[in-house]
Amino acid sequence: MLRTTKGVLACLEEAQGGFIPAQDLCEKTRISARQLADELTVLRRLGHAIEADPILGYRLARPQVDFDVQQLRQRLASCCIGREIIALPSTTSTNDVAFQLSQNGRSEGVVVFAETQSAGRGRLGRAWVSPNGRGLWFSVLLRPRMPTARLTVAAAVALTRVVAGQARIKWPNDIVVNDRKLAGILTEARGEIVVLGIGLNVYADAPWPAQAISLEELLGERPDRTELAARVLMELDRCYSQAAQDFDGLLEEWATRCVTLGKQIELQIGGRRLVGLAYALDENGALIVRRDNGQTERVYGADVTLVHG
Ligand code: ATP
Ligand code: BTN
């Protein structure tokens, strides 16, 4: 989001639902009336409901109440993942917030949701589009006693169990439906802390990237985000336990839903290309690639770009 767009949003948020005259908005953010009109268009496209009144100016409409964090807390009371839930109207990246919380000694299982992210990210620093109130953008703080890549496997299985139907796993971290991306997983480790970030596109009415799909478009009906979040977190809790106790079982399920295994793939690993057959995942969650000459190599999703496959 541009600095001026952020500035306009910040002024509207500061007014806490009250109107601000257009002139005040322009003065505070040091932009012209024409620029203001452009910024308001951008914000509306990003899903912010902004009301206009010819005399009073502009205001942020009350947030939709389709995400009920109290209800979510009650549903997850007995789970490890979700024992504490923080819901923010907006932030840079929920992964960053989760790391900050870990520095304050927060325990494993804390989940941070944001209605929108101004700097949501995917692997390798790619931008993750997170329109306001149109998806589930959240991160889980973990202190796992297992290899980090197993968590991506656990999250992918959890998401496909919830979405079911045609949802498939594209190694390493995408949930796709016919090559269109429904959800992404970003697993980041710093020391003994791992933050598992998940972005799931829920509603259709948002400026999604061309290759994206939303759950509403997939199902043909509008899902309830609270219900969806509860189901995803409960399933994640189960898969997290399974990753520690029965990773083989989890892998078996992962393999049945994965579109990458058994395919000829081409990977970019730093400055190097690797071509081969995506053969299997090992016990650490690394992909075993078999080259034409029969040699195998193990690669972790965090380091590579899937060029083809
Ligand atoms: P790879 O196949 O190597 O994983 P990728 O394009 O899926 O490549 P990722 O790092 O996994 O790359 O995901 C980030 C990409 O996801 C971005 O480059 C962008 O194209 C796409 N993207 C960003 N926001 C969304 C979203 N909300 N829904 C779907 N796709 C998105
Ligand atoms: C990818 O496809 O590369 C992963 C996308 C992960 C997006 C989620 S949204 C919540 C969390 N916060 C982020 O900045 N990224 C993850």
Side-chain angles (χ1 to χ4, degrees):
M1 209 188 267
L2 286 177
R3 190 179 51 80
T4 44
T5 321
K6 274 189 204 161
V8 173
L9 181 60
C11 289
L12 290 166
E13 278 171 346
E14 236 169 64
Q16 297 185 339
F19 277 101
I20 320 180
Q23 200 180 338
D24 290 8
L25 269 175
C26 290
E27 278 169 14
K28 281 189 180 170
T29 52
R30 301 210 179 105
I31 57 176
S32 66
R34 201 193 165 125
Q35 276 174 300
L36 176 62
D38 290 344
E39 297 301 3
L40 292 169
T41 306
V42 172
L43 287 170
R44 285 189 174 114
R45 276 209 206 113
L46 289 172
H48 297 278
I50 299 169
E51 284 174 25
D53 180 282
I55 296 165
L56 300 173
Y58 297 96
R59 74 166 179 183
L60 274 183
R62 277 177 197 288
Q64 294 176 349
V65 281
D66 76 323
F67 188 70
D68 183 343
V69 68
Q70 298 295 1
Q71 199 195 110
L72 193 59
R73 286 184 183 125
Q74 283 165 11
R75 299 268 306 266
L76 293 160
S78 60
C79 295
C80 161
I81 290 179
R83 57 156 62 116
E84 186 184 349
I85 299 177
I86 296 168
L88 306 170
S90 83
T91 189
T92 49
S93 156
T94 52
N95 269 36
D96 290 340
V97 178
F99 275 118
Q100 279 155 17
L101 291 171
S102 74
Q103 284 170 358
N104 300 338
R106 283 305 230 290
S107 58
E108 144 158 303
V110 178
V111 183
V112 183
F113 282 88
E115 288 293 281
T116 182
Q117 302 179 109
S118 56
R121 61 175 179 267
R123 281 181 324 118
L124 308 165
R126 291 170 183 148
W128 182 260
V129 177
S130 325
N132 193 34
R134 295 300 184 272
L136 292 177
W137 324 125
F138 67 95
S139 302
V140 187
L141 167 61
L142 297 168
R143 298 172 192 270
R145 277 184 234 110
M146 65 179 99
T148 307
R150 280 195 185 189
L151 301 173
T152 312
V153 172
V157 172
L159 284 165
T160 52
R161 278 187 193 169
V162 171
V163 176
Q166 312 153 55
R168 296 286 176 271
I169 302 163
K170 186 173 159 217
W171 181 86
N173 66 326
D174 297 346
I175 304 299
V176 295
V177 176
N178 298 329
D179 256 353
R180 289 171 69 194
K181 190 152 157 180
L182 176 70
I185 302 160
L186 177 67
T187 315
E188 294 182 309
R190 293 186 196 161
E192 61 181 19
I193 303 295
V194 176
V195 169
L196 184 62
I198 294 180
L200 171 60
N201 305 333
V202 181
Y203 296 137
D205 53 338
W208 302 115
Q211 288 301 318
I213 187 169
S214 67
L215 198 55
E216 181 178 6
E217 190 183 340
L218 177 66
L219 302 176
E221 59 185 23
R222 214 163 161 79
D224 175 314
R225 280 193 309 147
T226 312
E227 176 62 28
L228 187 62
R231 288 174 54 206
V232 170
L233 290 176
M234 282 190 232
E235 212 52 79
L236 196 56
D237 195 55
R238 281 189 205 110
C239 290
Y240 182 47
S241 304
Q242 198 181 344
Q245 289 155 17
D246 169 32
F247 189 60
D248 284 351
L250 200 64
L251 264 187
E252 244 173 66
E253 190 173 342
W254 184 92
T256 62
R257 292 164 200 237
C258 177
V259 290
T260 317
L261 286 189
K263 270 198 189 154
Q264 197 67 17
I265 58 168
E266 185 176 344
L267 302 173
Q268 182 79 31
I269 311 169
R272 191 168 68 89
R273 290 244 158 170
L274 171 65
V275 179
L277 180 77
Y279 183 65
L281 276 201
D282 74 8
E283 68 288 357
N284 295 320
L287 181 70
I288 306 174
V289 181
R290 199 162 64 189
R291 286 211 188 103
D292 290 347
N293 65 9
Q295 281 180 344
T296 57
E297 212 169 303
R298 285 160 203 253
V299 286
Y300 285 97
D303 318 321
V304 305
T305 304
L306 189 60
V307 182
H308 172 77

